[in-house]
Amino acid sequence: MKLTFASVLLSLTLVSEISAGLITARKPDAHALLARRLTRQKRCIQRHGQSSGNNNGTPSSSAAPAPAASSTPAAPAPSSDNNNNNNNNNNNNNNSGGGGSQPGTIQAYGSPCGDPNASSQPTNNGGPNGSEEWLTCNIRTSGWNPPPITRQNIKYVDLGSVINDPHNVFYACRDYLGDFNYHAGQTGIPAILLASIALQESSCNRFARGPNGEYGLMQLTGEKCPSDGDCLDAGTNIGIGARYLSNTIDSVGGNVALAMGMYNGWFEHMTEGDANGRPTCGQRSNLDYLQTVFNGFMQGVNPADYNMGIFFNTRC
């Protein structure tokens, strides 16, 4: 391409003018750019509203869906009708009551009968929760002084560790392990104590009816059953029984021995004569009751295997 003198001169003149500031580059106006951008956004919103049927000038809710809740719903209480309840809550244990264990021998002070004389293993007249003489303190003489056994110092084994053994006394209760553990956690009463009551009262038969119309596993009397509930439902039945026992324990200053004695017809300062002074043998208060519960069932063993007792006043 040939350059003429005129074109070269023109190019030099333009360069000179730019250098001299005679020609300046125009920068776009920032406000104008912003106005154009807002106009485009408004048109997009209007088009979106027309296509979605939303004519109020606001974005459709479908354009930005709300995030899903991240919290996990609380697990419901175990259902007693589920035959797999024996797999529930096996590891949800603690030592202040509930599904766990509290090994060792009881440490208790303040009884007029002195030291509990507890042994690490169950015997026919003693065990981890004290000797039977200590449990029935003064019942032969001036009247029963309930020993200071509480939710905190009572000794017991984990119900889940024995209930699935076909040779264990609690095997009949295996379908309700989840319910026992759940209500134990709610009340602070060891699950194995609740199961001990059910085992003695109904042989862990949820459909059992007592001679005076008692209902279910815990053999509840009619006034304790809710008018709008099913008292033969295992979870309902265990829950009512557990709360009743818990309230009784609280009402007697936290003394589990006194509450359990009352459950069996005992009372403070009861004597051996009071327990036996009934018209028939079957109406007597079993004086070996606390021994069989605290040192038998709560240790995961069958009291009959140890011939537990020193009174045997109901063997007539």
Side-chain angles (χ1 to χ4, degrees):
M1 179 179 178
K2 294 182 179 181
L3 298 177
T4 62
F5 177 78
S7 61
V8 172
L9 181 61
L10 178 59
S11 300
L12 293 175
T13 303
L14 289 172
V15 171
S16 175
E17 287 178 352
I18 292 172
S19 301
L22 297 177
I23 298 177
T24 59
R26 292 186 179 180
K27 295 182 181 180
D29 188 295
H31 294 286
L33 286 175
L34 178 60
R36 288 196 295 272
R37 189 176 297 115
L38 291 174
T39 300
R40 285 196 298 270
Q41 290 177 352
K42 182 177 180 181
R43 288 172 182 169
C44 289
I45 291 171
Q46 289 173 343
R47 285 196 299 270
H48 181 73
Q50 290 169 356
S51 63
S52 63
N54 181 358
N55 295 320
N56 60 7
T58 59
S60 169
S61 59
S62 62
S70 59
S71 60
T72 303
S79 170
S80 59
D81 294 330
N82 185 345
N83 286 337
N84 292 322
N85 272 352
N86 54 317
N87 294 322
N88 294 337
N89 298 328
N90 282 353
N91 298 316
N92 189 22
N93 303 325
N94 58 64
N95 287 341
S96 61
S101 63
Q102 194 151 288
T105 56
I106 192 168
Q107 301 296 313
Y109 308 96
S111 169
C113 290
D115 188 88
N117 292 313
S119 58
S120 60
Q121 298 298 322
T123 66
N124 70 311
N125 61 0
N129 283 307
S131 70
E132 187 169 2
E133 290 288 356
W134 184 75
L135 293 173
T136 58
C137 177
N138 289 334
I139 207 166
R140 297 181 190 270
T141 55
S142 58
W144 182 48
N145 294 109
I149 298 178
T150 67
R151 287 180 176 97
Q152 289 71 40
N153 67 8
I154 194 169
K155 302 302 177 183
Y156 55 92
V157 303
D158 177 19
L159 179 61
S161 69
V162 297
I163 202 169
N164 290 314
D165 180 357
H167 302 292
N168 191 269
V169 66
F170 285 104
Y171 189 66
C173 305
R174 65 193 180 281
D175 289 344
Y176 313 116
L177 175 60
D179 292 299
F180 287 125
N181 278 346
Y182 176 79
H183 291 292
Q186 295 293 304
T187 60
I189 298 172
I192 200 165
L193 178 53
L194 298 178
S196 300
I197 295 171
L199 190 64
Q200 294 176 92
E201 295 292 331
S202 68
S203 299
C204 274
N205 177 7
R206 59 170 288 198
F207 299 107
R209 294 297 300 272
N212 297 311
E214 297 89 349
Y215 291 88
L217 288 164
M218 309 290 275
Q219 288 293 279
L220 303 176
T221 52
E223 75 275 5
K224 295 185 180 70
C225 295
S227 58
D228 58 347
D230 180 4
C231 221
L232 293 178
D233 173 75
T236 300
N237 194 283
I238 294 169
I240 294 172
R243 289 189 293 274
Y244 177 78
L245 179 58
S246 180
N247 291 337
T248 303
I249 293 171
D250 292 340
S251 72
V252 294
N255 191 311
V256 177
L258 177 54
M260 286 299 296
M262 292 169 63
Y263 197 93
N264 191 49
W266 294 26
F267 53 90
E268 200 165 4
H269 305 304
M270 179 186 76
T271 65
E272 187 175 4
D274 294 328
N276 292 330
R278 308 291 172 84
T280 65
C281 181
Q283 293 176 315
R284 293 179 179 178
S285 295
N286 181 3
L287 292 175
D288 296 312
Y289 181 71
L290 294 186
Q291 167 66 13
T292 59
V293 171
F294 291 152
N295 289 322
F297 291 118
M298 293 191 71
Q299 309 312 314
V301 302
N302 187 347
D305 293 341
Y306 291 75
N307 194 30
M308 284 190 175
I310 58 177
F311 297 95
F312 303 111
N313 67 313
T314 57
R315 294 184 183 180
C316 306

